[in-house]
Amino acid sequence: MRIVSGKFRGHHFDPPTNISARPTTDFAKESLFNLIGNIMDIDDITALDLFAGTGSISYELISRGAAYVTSVEMAQTQLAFIHKVCNMLKIDNMRVVKQEVFRFLNSTTASYDLVFADPPYQLPNIDEIPDAVLNNKHLKENGILIVEHGAHTSFETHPAFFQHRNYGNVHFSFFRLNYNQPK
């Protein structure tokens, strides 16, 4: 795993072999951040990384200038790895939360410019993620939600959906509040 761009560009990390996460590939991550860069300026945004896994997306956001990132993860092995990398890079603008994602979304009142969710592709309630973020007002005006998912999941009928991209087996669906509604 490596950080693709920004102040930590080129840093490589070897996640523990016993993790249950499926890190986003470097190719898909680089493509994802190119897409994000076409939609918004990452400098000084606040971001939420759900199902953070190894923290790869969080580090990339911090490296590219995000003001603050909240990473939510349940697995202790992944949490220990995230803390280790944050200490190595001296990251002090990232909050790591050990909590089940839906419980976190229902208990916090914070809102973000960017929310990224990389759930297990086989998560039974994966289709509930957009509404859990959007209905709980966790997305700021003009913010975007991105859900990474497998080929068998489609969000294209969701009213806030506005874009889908895939890179091999990695799929990204993008959402905005009131995207299809006049202001």
Side-chain angles (χ1 to χ4, degrees):
M1 177 181 88
R2 72 181 170 95
I3 298 176
V4 177
S5 188
K7 68 181 178 181
F8 300 125
R9 179 184 178 156
H11 279 79
H12 288 265
F13 303 99
D14 293 319
T17 56
N18 62 337
I19 65 169
S20 57
R22 169 205 24 78
T24 303
T25 65
D26 287 346
F27 172 72
K29 183 170 53 174
E30 189 166 4
S31 299
L32 170 68
F33 276 89
N34 287 336
L35 290 168
I36 294 170
N38 288 326
I39 297 170
M40 67 174 24
D41 185 1
I42 295 175
D43 281 343
D44 297 323
I45 67 165
T46 58
L48 175 60
D49 184 4
L50 300 171
F51 306 94
T54 61
S56 174
I57 298 298
S58 295
Y59 315 135
E60 195 71 41
L61 286 162
I62 296 288
S63 182
R64 292 171 185 246
Y68 198 82
V69 175
T70 300
S71 301
V72 181
E73 175 57 52
M74 275 292 300
Q76 189 56 45
T77 303
Q78 284 90 290
L79 287 166
F81 180 73
I82 292 171
H83 285 293
K84 176 183 168 184
V85 172
C86 284
N87 288 335
M88 287 172 51
L89 296 176
K90 297 179 176 44
I91 294 173
D92 60 1
N93 55 338
M94 185 169 142
R95 175 179 169 225
V96 182
V97 178
K98 180 181 182 179
Q99 193 169 21
E100 191 274 331
V101 164
F102 289 98
R103 185 170 288 142
F104 174 83
L105 291 172
N106 287 324
S107 66
T108 188
T109 58
S111 60
Y112 305 88
D113 299 296
L114 173 68
V115 178
F116 179 80
D118 182 8
Y121 288 179
Q122 72 282 6
L123 185 74
N125 55 343
I126 193 170
D127 60 326
E128 296 174 19
I129 293 171
D131 286 339
V133 171
L134 301 172
N135 293 345
N136 286 315
K137 299 183 169 82
H138 296 307
L139 205 57
K140 291 180 181 179
E141 186 176 346
N142 299 318
I144 59 171
L145 162 65
I146 304 166
V147 179
E148 182 176 332
H149 57 88
H152 298 295
T153 302
S154 175
F155 292 102
E156 293 182 12
T157 61
H158 192 282
F161 171 87
F162 75 93
Q163 188 174 145
H164 171 264
R165 296 292 176 97
N166 73 294
Y167 302 93
N169 294 327
V170 179
H171 293 253
F172 298 110
S173 287
F174 291 72
F175 304 82
R176 268 196 191 132
L177 275 175
N178 302 321
Y179 180 74
N180 291 319
Q181 300 170 5
K183 291 191 177 198

